[in-house]
Amino acid sequence: MVMPKGWGMKRSLHCCRHTATGRIAGLHPCALEKDLDEVLQTNTVFVNVSKGQVAKKEDLSNAFGTDDLTEICKQILAKGELQVSDKERQSQLEQMFRDIATIVAEKCVNPETKRPYTVNLIERAMKDIHFSVKANKSTKQQALEVIKQLKESIQIQRAHMRLRFVLPAKDGKRLKEKLRPLIKTVENEDFDDQLEMVCLIDPGCFREIDELIRCETKGKGTLEVLSLKDVEEGDEKLE
């Protein structure tokens, strides 16, 4: 249900929640919407949806400057506020909980075994710490929060990225010292005419490493991502 803002008396439309959310967020401008049937369950404008009270034509004309129902529906969708039932809200929160757990499972491993956790195990761990989903925050933001909180109860960390970089000899020694704090593990290192290194890093350090190499070598150094996640085969189990 979408309730318009700033028109005095409340008027509302009965909508499909997921599609209406996109319209209100501006993902699909209403002015370009050719088939309102994708959004609306009916193009009738109500004063009270639950009681089935339909808005009068005269009231609509005074409020919206037109009695064209299609145009009025577009205005309400463009400027209205989405109202959801308790059941819909609960369903939305449950889906977000699952999505957060999925993101965590995709990004993390047990640091001792380097094996990933299943989504079900992450969900269970989230319930154990009584994690509460926030509907107004993105699932990615909340997934990062979950990772921090789960570290207090289980062995978990973001899976390391494996990088290979090649630096000019004249910059190698100096840059190596600057890069050292950003590197978790050096797997291979060769310093001859140039410095070549294969290493593991925390994904959060990638941008800083990339900028450091580009700026300090004036574009002469190269950085290659060998793998986004350093993981072992098989799923981790919570005892």
Side-chain angles (χ1 to χ4, degrees), residues 140-186:
K140 184 175 181 180
Q141 284 180 310
Q142 294 185 78
L144 296 177
E145 292 176 7
V146 166
I147 294 171
K148 292 179 182 178
Q149 294 182 32
L150 288 181
K151 286 182 178 180
E152 299 179 6
S153 58
I154 65 174
Q155 292 288 326
I156 190 170
Q157 71 175 24
R158 290 190 65 178
H160 292 150
M161 293 176 66
R162 178 175 283 106
L163 303 180
R164 173 180 176 271
F165 53 80
V166 179
L167 308 175
K170 63 173 183 157
D171 300 312
K173 186 175 181 180
R174 174 175 53 84
L175 259 182
K176 180 181 175 181
E177 293 306 312
K178 290 187 177 183
L179 290 169
R180 191 182 299 278
L182 304 174
I183 295 173
K184 290 292 184 181
T185 305
V186 175

Side-chain angles (χ1 to χ4, degrees), residues 21-228:
T21 301
R23 298 304 185 279
I24 292 175
L27 300 179
H28 303 276
C30 295
L32 301 178
E33 180 60 62
K34 295 181 179 179
D35 188 3
L36 288 179
D37 290 339
E38 292 182 10
V39 183
L40 303 177
Q41 295 182 9
T42 173
N43 67 348
T44 302
V45 180
F46 296 89
V47 175
N48 188 313
V49 173
S50 60
K51 294 182 180 180
Q53 296 178 354
V54 178
K56 295 179 181 179
K57 188 174 183 179
E58 182 180 352
D59 290 339
L60 292 176
S61 183
N62 290 334
F64 297 97
T66 179
D67 58 7
D68 184 330
L69 287 178
T70 298
E71 180 57 34
I72 291 172
C73 288
K74 288 181 179 180
Q75 288 189 42
I76 293 176
L77 283 170
K79 302 177 182 179
E81 295 178 338
L82 187 63
Q83 308 290 312
V84 297
S85 67
D86 290 341
K87 185 176 181 180
E88 286 179 314
R89 186 174 293 106
Q90 183 58 35
S91 176
Q92 181 184 15
L93 291 176
E94 289 175 355
Q95 183 59 51
M96 287 185 71
F97 189 92
R98 180 78 175 178
D99 291 344
I100 292 168
T102 300
I103 293 172
V104 174
E106 289 175 346
K107 289 182 176 293
C108 296
V109 295
N110 181 317
E112 294 183 352
T113 64
K114 292 188 178 181
R115 288 182 175 178
Y117 288 102
T118 65
V119 174
N120 287 338
L121 287 177
I122 295 297
E123 282 189 290
R124 192 204 312 171
M126 288 169 62
K127 290 175 182 177
D128 288 342
I129 63 172
H130 307 290
F131 182 78
S132 179
V133 176
K134 300 174 182 65
N136 61 342
K137 294 188 68 174
S138 74
T139 52
K140 184 175 181 180
Q141 284 180 310
Q142 294 185 78
L144 296 177
E145 292 176 7
V146 166
I147 294 171
K148 292 179 182 178
Q149 294 182 32
L150 288 181
K151 286 182 178 180
E152 299 179 6
S153 58
I154 65 174
Q155 292 288 326
I156 190 170
Q157 71 175 24
R158 290 190 65 178
H160 292 150
M161 293 176 66
R162 178 175 283 106
L163 303 180
R164 173 180 176 271
F165 53 80
V166 179
L167 308 175
K170 63 173 183 157
D171 300 312
K173 186 175 181 180
R174 174 175 53 84
L175 259 182
K176 180 181 175 181
E177 293 306 312
K178 290 187 177 183
L179 290 169
R180 191 182 299 278
L182 304 174
I183 295 173
K184 290 292 184 181
T185 305
V186 175
E187 294 188 326
N188 186 48
E189 182 178 344
D190 183 25
F191 203 154
D192 193 3
D193 294 334
Q194 55 190 7
L195 172 62
E196 182 176 341
M197 184 181 293
V198 175
C199 60
L200 298 178
I201 68 160
D202 186 297
C205 295
F206 176 77
R207 183 174 297 177
E208 186 175 353
I209 291 174
D210 182 41
E211 291 180 355
L212 190 61
I213 291 176
R214 281 191 294 104
C215 294
E216 294 285 339
T217 67
K218 294 182 171 55
K220 294 181 180 179
T222 61
L223 175 63
E224 179 184 1
V225 177
L226 299 180
S227 64
L228 292 173

